[in-house]
Amino acid sequence: AALNPWDVMLCVSGTAIACENALVVAIICYSPALRTPMFVLVGSLATADLLAGLGLILNFVFQYVIPSETVSLLTVGFLVASFTASVSSLLAITVDRYLSLYNALTYYSERTVLCIHTMLAGAWGVSLCLGLLPVLGWNCLHDRTSCSVVRPLTKSNVTLLSASFFLIFLIMLHLYIEICKIVCRHAHQIALQQHFLTASHYVTTKKGVSTLAIILGTFGASWLPFAIYCVVGDPDYPSVYTYATLLPATYNSMINPIIYAYRNQEIQRSIWVLFCGCFQAKVSFRSRSPSDV
């Protein structure tokens, strides 16, 4: 079959995603110091995005080299599980940031570690189940009328996935609003202890709120168009609509390492160690706490 330019762009996107996140996974595995709950969550996100990138590459290869309905089901199920794990890991990171601020005194405890591991186990378990649904028979290979805009997934399947995304997005929105309130309240209390509101108080608060807005805005802008189109779209519509909304969704996995990993100074230091073999800092690196936004 002739190459579809959209499939090529998805494959290129998958390659970039895989390379970016493979580096993050390697750094976290390479550095014994990166074993805190925050980095466990970042590692989970990077692993999910790495698998998603590999899934996009495999989907392209099998689509044009080994066209098969069975292989198509496997690759689609793999992509569903990977992207679901990525979105679930983002939710887990949001919950972790909220807990690190709301329960700052008890955050570094065994209970927090257990909570993080439980969240990740649940997120990956649900993602695996959702990925297996098309393989186990919830597909439209034998009933074309039940197909969705993402073949071979059924309309009910993509509706379930979209509803899950909307729920996660609303939870993240609520938690980030609460985080903003806590950050503003803490900054205001610090300023009052100094008996006056300094300019740095407003700068710090504005920076924290704007960073949270960028994080949530990037996530929403990437996934909302595709999630909405999965609900309102019709399989008879031109496939270009599906590609045009799916491609930006993949960009979220490309942006995640930049937001959650490469901005972290501990990971920056580990990159120097990994590629240079030694580290001689001309500037002091400060370990970012989970509450840093």
Side-chain angles (χ1 to χ4, degrees), residues 150-198:
V150 184
R151 296 182 178 87
L153 299 182
T154 63
K155 295 177 182 178
S156 54
N157 194 342
V158 298
T159 301
L160 172 63
L161 294 174
S162 298
S164 301
F165 167 79
F166 291 136
L167 177 61
I168 290 176
F169 182 75
L170 290 176
I171 294 175
M172 290 179 63
L173 177 61
H174 172 71
L175 289 176
Y176 273 128
I177 291 175
E178 293 299 318
I179 290 174
C180 285
K181 292 179 180 179
I182 296 174
V183 170
C184 294
R185 185 165 60 249
H186 285 181
H188 184 70
Q189 289 173 349
I190 293 173
L192 289 179
Q193 289 176 358
Q194 298 174 350
H195 304 294
F196 59 90
L197 296 177
T198 62

Side-chain angles (χ1 to χ4, degrees), residues 125-283:
V126 172
S127 301
L128 180 60
C129 291
L130 291 175
L132 286 175
L133 289 179
V135 181
L136 296 178
W138 203 1
N139 57 70
C140 64
L141 294 180
H142 304 293
D143 183 13
R144 300 292 180 179
T145 59
S146 64
C147 281
S148 67
V149 295
V150 184
R151 296 182 178 87
L153 299 182
T154 63
K155 295 177 182 178
S156 54
N157 194 342
V158 298
T159 301
L160 172 63
L161 294 174
S162 298
S164 301
F165 167 79
F166 291 136
L167 177 61
I168 290 176
F169 182 75
L170 290 176
I171 294 175
M172 290 179 63
L173 177 61
H174 172 71
L175 289 176
Y176 273 128
I177 291 175
E178 293 299 318
I179 290 174
C180 285
K181 292 179 180 179
I182 296 174
V183 170
C184 294
R185 185 165 60 249
H186 285 181
H188 184 70
Q189 289 173 349
I190 293 173
L192 289 179
Q193 289 176 358
Q194 298 174 350
H195 304 294
F196 59 90
L197 296 177
T198 62
S200 60
H201 161 71
Y202 296 103
V203 173
T204 302
T205 304
K206 183 179 179 180
K207 180 180 178 181
V209 173
S210 62
T211 302
L212 293 176
I214 291 173
I215 292 173
L216 191 63
T218 300
F219 176 64
S222 299
W223 277 105
L224 276 176
F226 180 66
I228 294 173
Y229 182 69
C230 284
V231 176
V232 303
D234 189 273
D236 294 330
Y237 292 168
S239 60
V240 64
Y241 296 156
T242 302
Y243 282 113
T245 53
L246 176 60
L247 187 61
T250 65
Y251 292 159
N252 187 68
S253 296
M254 197 182 302
I255 298 172
N256 284 338
I258 301 173
I259 295 177
Y260 296 97
Y262 294 132
R263 291 175 61 247
N264 187 281
Q265 293 177 331
E266 289 292 339
I267 290 183
Q268 291 174 8
R269 177 167 58 185
S270 298
I271 291 177
W272 278 101
V273 174
L274 184 64
F275 286 103
C276 301
C278 61
F279 178 69
Q280 296 179 347
K282 295 182 179 179
V283 294

Side-chain angles (χ1 to χ4, degrees), residues 49-161:
D49 287 333
L50 170 61
L51 294 176
L54 294 176
L56 290 172
I57 298 172
L58 291 175
N59 183 66
F60 176 83
V61 172
F62 289 133
Q63 182 176 353
Y64 289 97
V65 178
I66 314 175
S68 167
E69 291 184 345
T70 302
V71 174
S72 174
L73 283 176
L74 291 174
T75 55
V76 169
F78 186 79
L79 284 170
V80 169
S82 301
F83 280 118
T84 304
S86 175
V87 173
S88 300
S89 296
L90 287 174
L91 175 61
I93 290 176
T94 307
V95 173
D96 176 68
R97 286 183 167 180
Y98 174 75
L99 292 177
S100 69
L101 289 170
Y102 186 76
N103 297 321
L105 297 178
T106 60
Y107 176 78
Y108 294 99
S109 64
E110 294 183 0
R111 182 178 180 182
T112 300
V113 176
L114 178 61
C115 177
I116 296 300
H117 289 166
T118 302
M119 280 196 302
L120 289 181
W124 281 92
V126 172
S127 301
L128 180 60
C129 291
L130 291 175
L132 286 175
L133 289 179
V135 181
L136 296 178
W138 203 1
N139 57 70
C140 64
L141 294 180
H142 304 293
D143 183 13
R144 300 292 180 179
T145 59
S146 64
C147 281
S148 67
V149 295
V150 184
R151 296 182 178 87
L153 299 182
T154 63
K155 295 177 182 178
S156 54
N157 194 342
V158 298
T159 301
L160 172 63
L161 294 174

